[in-house]
Amino acid sequence: APAVVSGQNLNSKLQMAAIGCDAKGWSDTREMANHPQVQHVAFCDVDLSRTGKVRELNPEAPVYQDYRKMFEEMGDQIDAVTVSTADHTHAIITLDAMRRGKHVYCQKPLTHNIWESRQIRLQNRKSDVITRLGNQIHSHSYYRTAVKAIQDGAIGKVKRVQSWCAATGHGKSGFMDRPKNPVSPPSSLAWDLWVAVAPMRPYGVDRAYHPWGWRDWQDFGNGALGDFGCHILDPVFSALNITGAPLDAKADHTGMNDEVWPAQTTVDYTFPGTEYTTGSELKITWNDGGRLPGVGGSHVPPTTALPRSGSLFIGEKGSLVLPHVGEMRLYGDVPEEVETLESLNHYHGWVDGCLSGKQPSDGFEYGGALTEAVLLGNIAVRYRGETLKWDAESLTIPNKPEASKWVTREYREGWEIEPVA
Ligand SMILES: NC(=O)C1=CN([C@@H]2O[C@H](COP(=O)(O)OP(=O)(O)OC[C@H]3O[C@@H](n4cnc5c(N)ncnc54)[C@H](OP(=O)(O)O)[C@@H]3O)[C@@H](O)[C@H]2O)C=CC1
Ligand SMILES: O=C1CO[C@H](CO)[C@@H](O)[C@@H]1O
């Protein structure tokens, strides 16, 4: 049984394991370790050359390469885990941890495909664990203040949303091929464990996939939309209290092959309206790769420079531009002052939830729905120019049945994910 059961043992330490220990994994580990009631008891990273910082943090804690072995050997000492691995392994690790009764903080996007997010949401409803998505800007003053301003009616009800992101799928063209003459992985790296659920392929060259480069590749990441959608669309979902799935999505882009995501993408979504929107439906458009929306139809003067990434909320009486990450700007018939909300510590909010048994409002139910919507955009990307209707209950695309295959993937033998009953 976990050493700390939710809601009890308030003076005990939360015993934590970090899965993914460098890059964002190190930042997650360091932030969690700054909480006075967190004790790291184990670390796991498929590449041992990237475990120097965590070994320094707690030289006593064992370091594993295979999270399954870590759970088998240390499961009863671990209360909570951070999952900061490349996106294609979020679901298998997170579900395993939740099924073992561990609290989970998982990096964004929650999963690599929609079916995985749905399994996590189903498991979340059954498991008595505290969960949070690693979109830390959710707790930043800038995002919290804008969410409150919109909900307080600063621009009236919202008619239209545009979101955009400067990232280009990391500068790759959308037509990149696998590295020719692949080299062997470094001896520190367990390549088979890194590939995990995805079809096996050679290691390639340093940084082709690992670390970092996986974002561009369809087998491992979801391009710029997957990378930034759960950041930039998060305040849109929160402010407008979007809990329903998109009704449809249609994409335009600069072209792609079967391996990598496009360099520039636009996705037009239709969502059901909410108490914060004017109509029964709301159009939200996503742009990436440097594509910017026009400000036509908004209260923003046409010569205004938009931030590199962010969102434009067009309301009945005013418009709000929310940079990613920056202070909002209001235009039109808007209040002279709005209340500023302070930043909260996203990481520690989750730890406090684990210790007190109180689930933050943005657990995996919220993060899962957000991720499902983001990933539907990338199914639309595969059928450029076609409006794909979405049946969120059956996880199918009724007007394009063959597109439904992209809701999930074929899992590599031995790495199948057990559906949640
Ligand atoms: N919230 C935010 O602001 C940010 C979030 N992210 C998210 O964080 C995650 C990690 O991204 P990033 O750190 O840039 O990626 P990297 O590729 O740099 O690092 C991922 C880490 O996870 C390790 N890893 C991969 N698979 C496994 C596994 N099965 N078991 C244990 N360890 C594993 C990697 O090892 P190896 O060294 O072998 O790859 C590496 O240390 C992604 O989901 C990304 O979207 C990233 C940056 C910022
Ligand atoms: O916020 C972020 C900063 O950039 C990274 C690389 O594109 C993202 O993965 C991350 O989510």
Side-chain angles (χ1 to χ4, degrees), residues 108 136-137 167 170 212 215 227-228 231 324:
K108 41 51 58 180
Q136 69 280 3
I137 303 144
H170 307 97
W212 181 268
R215 287 173 171 82
D227 203 17
F228 282 96
H231 281 311
H324 174 77

Side-chain angles (χ1 to χ4, degrees), residues 2-64:
V4 177
V5 177
S6 303
Q8 297 172 23
N9 272 343
L10 283 177
N11 297 320
S12 307
K13 295 237 178 190
L14 185 73
Q15 303 202 158
M16 196 172 292
I19 307 174
C21 296
D22 209 337
K24 189 58 191 162
W26 170 239
S27 116
D28 288 343
T29 305
R30 194 188 48 213
E31 294 286 350
M32 298 302 176
N34 283 339
H35 190 292
Q37 277 175 268
V38 167
Q39 172 76 41
H40 277 95
V41 295
F43 298 109
C44 178
D45 197 300
V46 291
D47 189 343
L48 295 177
S49 77
R50 288 163 62 95
T51 56
K53 298 181 197 107
V54 295
R55 285 176 201 272
E56 227 172 87
L57 180 72
N58 183 2
E60 312 282 302
V63 177
Y64 291 85

Side-chain angles (χ1 to χ4, degrees), residues 63-330:
V63 177
Y64 291 85
Q65 275 186 302
D66 188 336
Y67 72 92
R68 298 166 301 185
K69 187 155 184 260
M70 180 184 80
F71 280 143
E72 265 160 41
E73 292 185 4
M74 300 207 42
D76 57 352
Q77 295 171 55
I78 297 169
D79 307 312
V81 296
T82 51
V83 179
S84 316
T85 60
D87 297 357
H88 66 292
T89 51
H90 288 181
I92 194 165
I93 300 174
T94 292
L95 274 167
D96 192 349
M98 291 173 82
R99 284 172 160 144
R100 292 170 188 267
K102 315 299 175 205
H103 308 298
V104 185
Y105 182 97
C106 179
Q107 266 312 320
K108 41 51 58 180
L110 181 58
T111 62
H112 184 252
N113 67 51
I114 295 177
W115 178 82
E116 293 174 340
S117 278
R118 186 59 62 85
Q119 299 314 301
I120 290 178
R121 289 171 76 186
L122 293 172
Q123 186 63 41
N124 194 41
R125 292 172 201 164
K126 296 168 66 160
S127 300
D128 193 13
V129 297
I130 305 299
T131 59
R132 194 164 227 188
L133 188 68
N135 53 350
Q136 69 280 3
I137 303 144
H138 181 86
S139 298
H140 195 286
S141 166
Y142 292 145
Y143 273 16
R144 284 176 20 89
T145 298
V147 166
K148 182 156 193 331
I150 290 166
Q151 294 192 340
D152 286 349
I155 57 171
K157 290 202 181 205
V158 172
K159 299 193 288 193
R160 181 82 171 89
V161 178
Q162 296 272 0
S163 295
W164 64 98
C165 166
T168 62
H170 307 97
K172 311 285 169 49
S173 71
F175 295 102
M176 188 167 55
D177 265 331
R178 297 188 190 196
K180 307 267 183 286
N181 311 316
V183 301
S184 303
S187 59
S188 61
L189 172 65
W191 180 242
D192 185 71
L193 298 180
W194 189 94
V195 173
V197 297
M200 179 47 74
R201 67 170 72 193
Y203 167 72
V205 295
D206 186 31
R207 299 186 85 82
Y209 313 118
H210 142 73
W212 181 268
W214 49 266
R215 287 173 171 82
D216 296 308
W217 299 87
Q218 294 167 24
D219 271 355
F220 309 123
N222 270 285
L225 175 53
D227 203 17
F228 282 96
C230 288
H231 281 311
I232 294 172
L233 293 172
D234 162 53
V236 178
F237 266 58
S238 288
L240 304 181
N241 192 24
I242 295 175
T243 51
L247 303 169
D248 60 47
K250 177 181 165 191
D252 166 64
H253 57 77
T254 46
M256 64 192 278
N257 61 12
D258 291 339
E259 294 284 352
V260 290
W261 294 104
Q264 296 186 310
T265 300
T266 301
V267 181
D268 289 311
Y269 291 101
T270 312
F271 280 86
T274 73
E275 68 270 40
Y276 298 108
T277 65
T278 49
S280 58
E281 292 187 353
L282 174 73
K283 295 276 183 202
I284 300 179
T285 299
W286 169 267
N287 283 285
D288 64 39
R291 289 183 171 186
L292 286 174
V295 294
S298 80
H299 307 78
V300 180
T303 51
T304 310
L306 291 173
R308 282 167 51 76
S309 303
S311 293
L312 165 64
F313 297 80
I314 306 176
E316 290 167 304
K317 60 191 187 76
S319 295
L320 186 153
V321 173
L322 178 61
H324 174 77
V325 178
E327 203 170 331
M328 68 176 183
R329 300 174 216 151
L330 288 167

